[in-house]
Amino acid sequence: MSSIRHDPRTSAAVRGSGWASNSPQAEQLLTHLAPGERVELLFTTLRFHGALTRRRLLLWRGAFKAEHMELCRPLTILKSGSQSRFGEAVVLDGPEGAIELKALSAAVARALVAAGRQVDGSAPAARPHVAQGDRSASGTPGAHRAGAGRASIPPHAGEGAGSQERVHRARSVRTWQDAELAAVDHMRSLGFTDARVTDAGADGGIDVIARDAIAQVKYYSQPIGVGPIRELRGVADSHHHLLFYASGGYTASARQFADEKKVALFSIQEVGHVTPLNAAAADLSARRRAASGRAQAPNDRATQRAAELEAQRQTVRCLITRVRAHTSEVHALPSNRYTKDLIKTLTAAHKLTDRAESLLAKSQADFQTHGGRKRSIAMADEKAREAALKLGMRA
């Protein structure tokens, strides 16, 4: 029986890679490789097993039920650089959004970045794709959305606002990296065509920067207080437009301070939609619509409140998905005295997420008032956080 240590396609890359010959990932790797396809690099991270060949990157996540995904070369690198003293991190564009690989050795990080470069400098990057019959590495089934996890190309200087509008595409937002890239897309659609994510490291409280605008992005389940908005105001120059994007809404004091200082507040949702939440944000959106010849639709208080609730609902749903990715392994665990306590914990967490999903569904019922919807979402958030706490996860 062939193994990755003896197969000529993989033997040169096994030493020191962290791969085990008898693992499910190793068995699947040999079945997915073409007869003449050789593996250049094998590596392991905190969550993934990876194999890099001359034409693709194969990733597996999970221990018992290994989930397989393929990314074609050249890879789309969203961010790279040292994240901590434990190693480096590389963020790739995947079918469902950003994929963070950490903690990598310097050699592995360099190899992945090199795999993201064009061979001739002109060919467009190949689109990542999921192998048939498998789920994505994020644990969520689904097709690759247009532009997911990748910043859209800015329009040329000679194009009008109508072209900018066509550039903006809603992306799936499942991580903080996705949220930053969605903010970049939105800012470019507002006319800040040179908007980009700041480099990893000390950013002075700025996540997205353009020539005459800066933005902070917070992918939190709780409403943002006045502190982060005050910090953004403190690092801005007088000519800067200030934009703030949050997935969990804002407190009343934060909204009041933003109104006084002309900070544009936006709600960013998991489906990628961005909604203005105050007068400064509505003014920026109105300028774009006016430039493209369309009348601005009235943005009343009811629309703003509904957008905030939807943002909070999507954040809770994201936490439920993260917990479910851990509890799904309960079916693969053998029932014995060593796994008894673990199975009990996973089952309890699964029941809590069931209750949280039920409350989220209730929050969308037609008979609910705004206050009732808000209470249901808060209760769902409490159940989801309790489930995460049982598993030792950070909510």
Side-chain angles (χ1 to χ4, degrees), residues 71-82:
L71 302 179
C72 293
R73 291 180 68 166
L75 307 175
T76 303
I77 309 295
L78 302 179
K79 195 180 277 191
S80 65
S82 179

Side-chain angles (χ1 to χ4, degrees), residues 187-212:
M187 287 180 64
R188 288 176 175 175
S189 76
L190 293 178
F192 306 111
T193 56
D194 60 337
R196 61 177 177 81
V197 176
T198 57
D199 296 331
D203 56 12
I206 302 173
D207 293 318
V208 182
I209 188 170
R211 183 178 58 188
D212 54 353

Side-chain angles (χ1 to χ4, degrees), residues 100-364:
E100 185 177 29
L101 303 178
K102 64 177 184 180
L104 302 172
S105 67
V108 173
R110 284 196 300 269
L112 292 175
V113 172
R117 299 193 183 104
Q118 300 292 345
V119 176
D120 58 2
S122 60
R127 262 179 120 177
H129 66 278
V130 182
Q132 287 292 334
D134 287 334
R135 297 173 67 189
S136 71
S138 64
T140 306
H144 179 65
R145 293 180 175 86
R150 177 167 57 247
S152 57
I153 301 172
H156 298 294
E159 293 179 349
S163 299
Q164 296 171 14
E165 178 68 17
R166 287 193 296 272
V167 168
H168 185 213
R169 297 288 186 271
R171 67 174 69 240
S172 175
V173 177
R174 299 181 184 277
T175 65
W176 61 265
Q177 295 98 333
D178 293 339
E180 289 184 356
L181 292 169
V184 168
D185 288 345
H186 184 255
M187 287 180 64
R188 288 176 175 175
S189 76
L190 293 178
F192 306 111
T193 56
D194 60 337
R196 61 177 177 81
V197 176
T198 57
D199 296 331
D203 56 12
I206 302 173
D207 293 318
V208 182
I209 188 170
R211 183 178 58 188
D212 54 353
I214 58 174
Q216 179 73 281
V217 184
K218 295 294 185 185
Y219 187 62
Y220 294 164
S221 60
Q222 296 297 320
I224 297 301
V226 70
I229 301 177
R230 184 179 286 115
E231 292 175 3
L232 179 65
R233 175 69 268 178
V235 299
D237 293 332
S238 58
H239 65 280
H240 277 148
H241 291 282
L242 305 182
L243 297 86
F244 207 107
Y245 297 84
S247 58
Y250 304 87
T251 64
S253 59
R255 295 176 68 107
Q256 181 180 356
F257 180 83
D259 290 340
E260 293 174 355
K261 302 300 181 180
K262 307 299 181 185
V263 179
L265 301 183
F266 294 93
S267 167
I268 188 167
Q269 301 170 22
E270 187 178 2
V271 293
H273 292 191
V274 177
T275 306
L277 296 182
N278 67 349
D283 287 344
L284 281 177
S285 301
R287 293 178 189 177
R288 182 196 64 183
R289 293 190 182 100
S292 60
R294 291 194 300 270
Q296 179 191 9
N299 186 23
D300 57 13
R301 176 60 178 160
T303 302
Q304 295 178 11
R305 294 167 72 191
E308 289 185 18
L309 286 183
E310 181 60 25
Q312 295 170 15
R313 186 182 293 113
Q314 294 295 344
T315 303
V316 176
R317 188 168 285 115
C318 182
L319 178 57
I320 292 173
T321 301
R322 287 172 50 209
V323 174
R324 284 286 173 84
H326 287 73
T327 60
S328 61
E329 68 184 45
V330 67
H331 304 293
L333 290 173
S335 180
N336 53 48
R337 63 193 180 98
Y338 300 107
T339 62
K340 180 179 178 181
D341 292 338
L342 177 58
I343 291 176
K344 185 176 179 180
T345 300
L346 292 174
T347 302
H350 192 84
K351 290 181 178 178
L352 285 168
T353 55
D354 280 343
R355 177 57 179 160
E357 285 188 331
S358 175
L359 288 166
L360 284 185
K362 182 180 178 182
S363 72
Q364 294 178 300

Side-chain angles (χ1 to χ4, degrees), residues 57-73:
L57 172 65
L58 296 91
L59 292 173
W60 284 269
R61 193 186 85 165
F64 299 101
K65 294 183 178 180
E67 298 167 354
H68 165 240
M69 183 181 70
E70 297 176 11
L71 302 179
C72 293
R73 291 180 68 166

